[in-house]
Amino acid sequence: MKYQTQKIAYAYFLAAIALFIVQVSGGLLAGWIYISPNTLSEILPFNIVRMLHTNALIVWLLLGFFGAAYFIIPEESEREIYSPKIAYWQLAILLIGTLGAVVTYVFDLFHDNILLGKDGREFLEQPLWVKIGIVVAALMFLYNISMTVLSGKKTAISSVLIIGLWGLALLFLFAFYNPHNLSLDKMYWWYVVHLWVEGVWELIMASILAYLMLKLTGVDREIVEKWLYVIVGTALFSGILGTGHHYYWIGAPAYWQWIGSIFSSFEVVPFFLMVVFAFVMVWKGRREHPNKAALLWSLGCAVLAFFGAGVWGFLHTLHGVNFYTHGTQITAAHGHLAFFGAYVALNLAIFTYAFPMLRNRDPYNQVLNMVSFWLMAGGMCFMTFVLTFAGTIQTHLQRVMGQYYMEVQDQIILFHYMRFGAGVAVVLGAILFVVAILLPRREVVEPGPLAKQQLSAAE
């Protein structure tokens, strides 16, 4: 680690990991409530559990992105972070806001209070004071990172990363506009939700993946940057107007059905390019980097993002298909694998790469880390298949046969059991990952029986 301020990332990564465990635990509990609906219903209703699951996911991914920026930017800009104090104050504000939102929802506080009370919009449930805190923290972050980049060397990786982070912050401002008209509300709501995960987050993903490939494979920077430009171009071309696939059934004009279908069909392209990019870099790479676990997570990120966000997204993005599948378990299948592949695996890849250096324990035993990858990736893939089958049956019974939602839930209960089993595997993998990251040991290879005999003979 060349720059002292890269250590700022350590605090962000630790906070992100803590929320990661909260997120997967909440998901497991939500999965069990599908099987036993009255579980904790008086203390912690399902809507609160689901809110904690989804919001913890968003917050820890953001903390991971911020930490990754604090780790990557000094190396790319060839200088220290402009102000470490601002970075730590930013983290404190984000953690206080997160805690405040959780307490408000769990204890059901401040009813109808516009500043302190609940918002109620999915994924944007944070009370108004928390949203203001997020904007303040984002401004501090952007000022800090921008000053660092502007005073140092500019690279394609740092430029794309900072453009993505600026876009992330600016689009969040739409969260403050909450019109009474439900159709308008949904249109602006998707400006935040869709243009984050299928727009600017893809820029952040591509730049972090490019950084990892550069470091892990040793391929020339010029080649990596050319790939980065192509991926970013296709992501923006398809992702911005691809927002239209959310406008099919909210009261927007009918032309969105064609615009959304056409452009969102192209959204598979940048994810496919990321798979090709990652494997070509490894194939052309001339460096034998010792951190094999980070390489596994990087390749896994590209592949799972392609299937989750690309293939599973395409399966129900055409408006003629989406008319029947919208809001079923097929949506849940796509959402789970897309988020895991594109952003969870990406964050775990940069954690795996950075932690040995941040903890000054490089090299270390990576077996546990790799086992955690296969546990989480395997569990998430099985969950995706299970939800896809459940969603197909649900679509037929509910949308074609006209049965009621709760009647259908009874008929797909077997799939909910299997989904819960897959969730157990994911949680175990997450715990194993934390152990592998926080308790690494120096790799000591003991001689086998044959080697010991040869050593004895030589003596």
Side-chain angles (χ1 to χ4, degrees):
M1 196 169 64
K2 292 172 63 176
Y3 299 91
Q4 287 300 310
T5 49
Q6 286 181 285
K7 287 183 179 175
I8 295 169
Y10 188 55
Y12 279 81
F13 289 164
L14 286 179
I17 287 172
L19 280 174
F20 175 42
I21 296 301
V22 172
Q23 182 240 323
V24 293
S25 302
L28 192 63
L29 177 58
W32 179 253
I33 293 175
Y34 270 97
I35 298 168
S36 178
N38 290 327
T39 304
L40 299 178
S41 58
E42 298 293 328
I43 305 170
L44 210 56
F46 177 77
N47 63 313
I48 302 298
V49 175
R50 185 178 183 276
M51 187 282 293
L52 292 174
H53 176 57
T54 55
N55 278 263
L57 169 70
I58 293 168
V59 175
W60 87 257
L61 291 180
L62 290 176
L63 289 172
F65 291 157
F66 292 145
Y70 283 124
F71 186 81
I72 293 171
I73 291 296
E75 282 193 20
E76 291 294 300
S77 302
E78 296 183 351
R79 64 191 52 232
E80 300 286 359
I81 290 294
Y82 176 74
S83 171
K85 284 185 181 176
I86 290 179
Y88 287 117
W89 274 110
Q90 175 206 341
L91 177 60
I93 291 171
L94 288 171
L95 293 180
I96 291 169
T98 303
L99 186 62
V102 171
V103 170
T104 303
Y105 273 84
V106 170
F107 296 100
D108 198 17
L109 304 175
F110 308 116
H111 277 286
D112 299 325
N113 187 307
I114 193 169
L115 181 64
L116 304 175
K118 297 178 284 190
D119 189 310
R121 300 168 81 194
E122 191 178 11
F123 304 131
L124 303 177
E125 290 100 340
Q126 311 85 22
L128 181 59
W129 72 271
V130 175
K131 286 191 175 75
I132 295 171
I134 292 171
V135 171
V136 171
L139 288 173
M140 293 167 69
F141 171 75
L142 292 173
Y143 174 74
N144 208 8
I145 288 293
S146 299
M147 291 299 289
T148 308
V149 172
L150 288 174
S151 60
K153 183 181 174 184
K154 284 84 176 173
T155 67
I157 290 175
S158 64
S159 299
V160 172
L161 179 59
I162 201 166
I163 289 171
L165 292 165
W166 267 95
L168 184 154
L170 292 174
L171 287 169
F172 184 71
L173 296 179
F174 286 109
F176 288 88
Y177 183 52
N178 190 359
H180 291 294
N181 183 296
L182 192 58
S183 295
L184 277 179
D185 170 35
K186 283 296 179 187
M187 286 195 75
Y188 286 104
W189 183 78
W190 284 116
Y191 283 0
V192 184
V193 177
H194 172 90
L195 291 179
W196 263 23
V197 299
E198 295 176 60
V200 293
W201 282 29
E202 284 185 38
L203 270 59
I204 297 168
M205 176 190 176
S207 57
I208 295 176
L209 195 60
Y211 171 82
L212 287 169
M213 286 295 114
L214 188 70
K215 296 295 179 182
L216 293 170
T217 67
V219 171
D220 290 342
R221 179 179 285 273
E222 187 181 350
I223 297 173
V224 172
E225 291 183 344
K226 284 178 181 174
W227 274 95
L228 182 58
Y229 287 131
V230 174
I231 291 168
V232 167
T234 53
L236 292 177
F237 172 78
S238 58
I240 293 174
L241 283 176
T243 313
H245 69 242
H246 299 296
Y247 293 168
Y248 294 161
W249 324 118
I250 64 169
Y255 55 74
W256 280 111
Q257 294 180 5
W258 289 103
I259 294 174
S261 293
I262 292 168
F263 281 90
S264 58
S265 296
F266 285 115
E267 287 190 68
V268 69
V269 174
F271 289 106
F272 177 70
L273 288 175
M274 278 191 245
V275 175
V276 177
F277 162 66
F279 280 88
V280 167
M281 292 304 103
V282 173
W283 174 52
K284 286 192 170 184
R286 58 180 185 276
R287 183 178 297 164
E288 196 67 27
H289 199 283
N291 198 334
K292 303 298 182 192
L295 188 62
L296 176 64
W297 277 107
S298 302
L299 294 175
C301 164
V303 172
L304 294 171
F306 167 66
F307 282 103
V311 177
W312 253 256
F314 179 76
L315 283 177
H316 68 141
T317 199
L318 299 176
H319 68 268
V321 177
N322 190 270
F323 179 77
Y324 294 97
T325 60
H326 185 80
T328 65
Q329 295 295 339
I330 292 176
T331 305
H334 160 56
H336 277 82
L337 191 58
F339 263 98
F340 180 80
Y343 303 121
V344 172
L346 178 75
N347 268 293
L348 299 186
I350 190 71
F351 294 173
T352 301
Y353 175 76
F355 257 76
M357 286 177 270
L358 291 168
R359 291 172 62 82
N360 195 27
R361 290 189 178 182
D362 184 26
Y364 67 99
N365 190 318
Q366 302 168 59
V367 174
L368 286 181
N369 192 312
M370 291 184 176
V371 171
S372 77
F373 168 84
W374 290 112
L375 256 179
M376 277 191 271
M380 192 54 69
C381 288
F382 184 69
M383 186 186 299
T384 302
F385 285 121
V386 165
L387 290 173
T388 303
F389 284 119
T392 304
I393 294 170
Q394 181 186 7
T395 299
H396 179 73
L397 294 178
Q398 193 175 325
R399 302 286 162 74
V400 179
M401 303 293 289
Q403 295 187 17
Y404 291 111
Y405 174 83
M406 292 309 295
E407 289 178 328
V408 175
Q409 296 308 305
D410 288 338
Q411 297 176 67
I412 59 174
I413 189 69
L414 176 63
F415 294 100
H416 290 314
Y417 275 105
M418 290 193 282
R419 190 253 288 269
F420 181 76
V424 171
V426 173
V427 171
L428 289 176
I431 294 169
L432 203 56
F433 179 85
V434 175
V435 172
I437 284 293
L438 295 179
L439 301 174
R441 296 176 179 174
R442 288 191 176 277
E443 203 165 47
V444 179
V445 180
E446 296 289 343
L450 183 60
K452 284 181 178 176
Q453 285 180 2
Q454 290 173 343
L455 286 172
S456 301
E459 289 172 355

